[in-house]
Amino acid sequence: MSARTGILYLVSGPSGSGKTTLCRRLSNEDEASYAISCTTRKPRPGEENGKDYFFLSIPEFQNKIATGELLEHAEVHGNFYGTLLSEVLNKLEAGVDVVMDIDVQGAALVRESKHPIIQHSLVDIFIMPPNAEELRKRLTGRGTDSQEIIETRMRNSLDEMEHWPKYSFRIVSGSHEEDYIFFKALLHGERLRISRHI
Amino acid sequence: MSARTGILYLVSGPSGSGKTTLCRRLSNEDEASYAISCTTRKPRPGEENGKDYFFLSIPEFQNKIATGELLEHAEVHGNFYGTLLSEVLNKLEAGVDVVMDIDVQGAALVRESKHPIIQHSLVDIFIMPPNAEELRKRLTGRGTDSQEIIETRMRNSLDEMEHWPKYSFRIVSGSHEEDYIFFKALLHGERLRISRHI
């Protein structure tokens, strides 16, 4: 196969859609490279700086916004999250596929990016839970959050789900295994797109 | 998964690319329905009318052109080949994916079709042999044709290969199994495209 530019695989979906599991597996199987996000939230136990996230202070984060170093950024639950443009471009130009696990606001900013490499590379997909009942079950199933947090997350998830028509592709979640087969097939299919070959 | 319109999977590639094997397997595995072509060439031993082709006389074929019943038609090696528009539309509207094993002239006519369902459904892919040496090996390997016919087919194949940049997707043929995995992945990925869901 001839050389090609990388795909920017932009993956959104509410909490409980299973999108993070899909993205991690894609990265673990070396199908795509995880775009490490920046965040101002505090590290959770076991999270490593530069691996799970780049953990930044609020002033550091605001400086990166000001200097145009971020491809996208958003505030979620009181914390900032964002992605370094350089982190993504370097990989795409080297022909590496990049997977971004991103909320709907962030995805909208990436779509609005005028950078030609970003525009050329973008494949956006929305992962949906099959229905509200299953979503509630998945959000409750974690067992780590209070009922109030679950209700807030449920409302946020349902709000976030309304954004699916802005995406090019959609998976309605079935089993983890099924979802992953479709998720990977789409990436493999997009690799065959002639406009990516250089 | 919600209801969707079918995909028109338009597959071209020179003799020796393996495209016919790919299309037949897709059909055999019920992933897509073969669009049966019309042709004026004589049936080969074992070929059945209405299964392998609709075998037509030249006047019958010309009548179908005149009445606009053909989605595409072309003359290849002195024979006419074509596809009934109704054959394709009925399947697409029923949500069935249609695979068309078609030469580059025919594919160009399908692309030019103004029919909105055809335009909406189209996914075109070009299958290429890895290189000229391997192509010659594959064309010779059949062992059923004279050297002169092989040379003609070789020239035709090399000419046909120049059309690949008109397609959206391309597979550079490796093993049959590898080719098929990519070929199916692309179809499965395209099924997730939101614009197909109704």
Side-chain angles (χ1 to χ4, degrees):
Chain A
M1 191 63 83
S2 57
R4 62 171 177 90
T5 55
I7 292 164
L8 179 53
Y9 207 25
L10 203 64
V11 186
S12 298
S15 290
S17 65
K19 76 174 191 317
T20 303
T21 305
L22 291 172
C23 292
R24 288 205 178 135
R25 184 163 168 194
L26 208 65
S27 162
N28 288 342
E29 295 186 1
D30 285 330
E31 293 283 348
S33 177
Y34 227 113
I36 300 168
S37 302
C38 310
T39 185
T40 59
R41 83 153 164 76
K42 296 287 167 278
R44 291 176 189 156
E47 284 186 339
E48 281 177 46
N49 189 29
K51 189 179 164 229
D52 298 290
Y53 286 96
F54 296 112
F55 293 102
L56 301 177
S57 67
I58 291 178
E60 283 171 334
F61 199 99
Q62 285 171 330
N63 182 54
K64 294 217 180 287
I65 297 175
T67 54
E69 290 174 72
L70 295 177
L71 172 58
E72 56 79 33
H73 65 279
E75 201 186 334
V76 183
H77 305 141
N79 292 304
F80 287 102
Y81 293 80
T83 308
L84 288 166
L85 182 60
S86 60
E87 160 96 0
V88 173
L89 288 182
N90 292 343
K91 289 175 176 177
L92 293 177
E93 288 176 310
V96 173
D97 296 332
V98 174
V99 59
M100 286 178 73
D101 175 353
I102 195 170
D103 59 41
V104 295
Q105 297 97 323
L109 288 169
V110 175
R111 254 187 238 108
E112 282 165 23
S113 166
K114 297 284 178 290
H115 199 294
I117 294 175
I118 299 296
Q119 280 305 313
H120 180 73
S121 311
L122 196 62
V123 175
D124 58 343
I125 180 163
F126 196 87
I127 317 294
M128 293 184 89
N131 52 56
E133 286 72 22
E134 174 65 19
L135 175 63
R136 181 178 294 277
K137 207 158 73 181
R138 290 183 185 185
L139 293 178
T140 309
R142 295 179 175 188
T144 55
D145 298 305
S146 71
Q147 191 59 31
E148 192 191 336
I149 286 178
I150 289 170
E151 289 305 325
T152 304
R153 208 173 263 164
M154 188 79 189
R155 273 195 308 278
N156 288 343
S157 286
L158 291 174
D159 284 351
E160 190 152 353
M161 267 169 64
E162 292 186 4
H163 293 265
W164 71 263
K166 296 174 187 164
Y167 289 71
S168 299
F169 297 95
R170 182 179 67 163
I171 290 175
V172 178
S173 178
S175 74
H176 279 321
E177 195 57 32
E178 249 179 27
D179 294 356
Y180 186 68
I181 288 169
F182 289 129
F183 189 65
K184 195 165 83 170
L186 176 59
L187 184 69
H188 283 193
E190 282 293 328
R191 286 179 185 162
L192 305 174
R193 193 178 283 282
I194 284 171
S195 61
R196 302 192 197 288
H197 289 261
I198 50 182
Chain B
M1 189 64 81
S2 58
R4 63 171 177 88
T5 54
I7 292 163
L8 179 53
Y9 207 25
L10 203 63
V11 186
S12 298
S15 289
S17 64
K19 75 174 192 315
T20 303
T21 306
L22 290 172
C23 293
R24 287 203 178 138
R25 185 163 167 194
L26 207 65
S27 162
N28 288 341
E29 295 186 2
D30 285 331
E31 293 284 347
S33 177
Y34 227 112
I36 300 167
S37 302
C38 311
T39 184
T40 60
R41 83 154 164 75
K42 296 287 166 276
R44 291 177 188 153
E47 284 185 339
E48 281 176 45
N49 189 30
K51 187 177 165 233
D52 299 289
Y53 286 95
F54 296 112
F55 293 101
L56 301 177
S57 68
I58 291 179
E60 282 171 334
F61 199 99
Q62 286 171 329
N63 182 54
K64 295 218 179 287
I65 298 175
T67 54
E69 291 174 70
L70 295 177
L71 172 58
E72 56 80 32
H73 65 278
E75 201 186 334
V76 182
H77 304 141
N79 292 305
F80 288 103
Y81 293 81
T83 308
L84 288 167
L85 182 60
S86 59
E87 160 95 359
V88 173
L89 288 182
N90 292 344
K91 289 176 176 177
L92 294 178
E93 288 176 310
V96 173
D97 297 332
V98 174
V99 60
M100 286 178 73
D101 176 352
I102 195 170
D103 59 43
V104 295
Q105 298 96 322
L109 289 169
V110 175
R111 254 187 238 107
E112 283 165 22
S113 166
K114 298 283 178 289
H115 199 294
I117 294 175
I118 299 296
Q119 281 304 314
H120 181 73
S121 311
L122 196 61
V123 174
D124 58 342
I125 181 164
F126 197 87
I127 317 294
M128 294 184 88
N131 52 56
E133 287 71 22
E134 174 66 19
L135 175 63
R136 181 177 294 277
K137 208 158 72 181
R138 290 182 185 185
L139 293 177
T140 310
R142 296 181 173 186
T144 54
D145 298 305
S146 71
Q147 191 60 30
E148 193 190 334
I149 285 177
I150 290 170
E151 289 305 324
T152 303
R153 209 174 261 164
M154 187 79 190
R155 272 195 308 278
N156 289 343
S157 286
L158 291 173
D159 284 351
E160 189 152 355
M161 267 169 66
E162 292 185 4
H163 293 265
W164 70 262
K166 296 174 188 164
Y167 289 72
S168 298
F169 297 95
R170 183 180 65 164
I171 290 174
V172 179
S173 177
S175 73
H176 279 321
E177 194 57 31
E178 250 178 26
D179 294 356
Y180 186 68
I181 288 169
F182 290 128
F183 189 65
K184 194 165 83 169
L186 176 58
L187 183 69
H188 283 194
E190 282 293 329
R191 287 179 185 162
L192 305 174
R193 193 178 283 281
I194 284 171
S195 61
R196 300 192 198 288
H197 290 262
I198 49 180

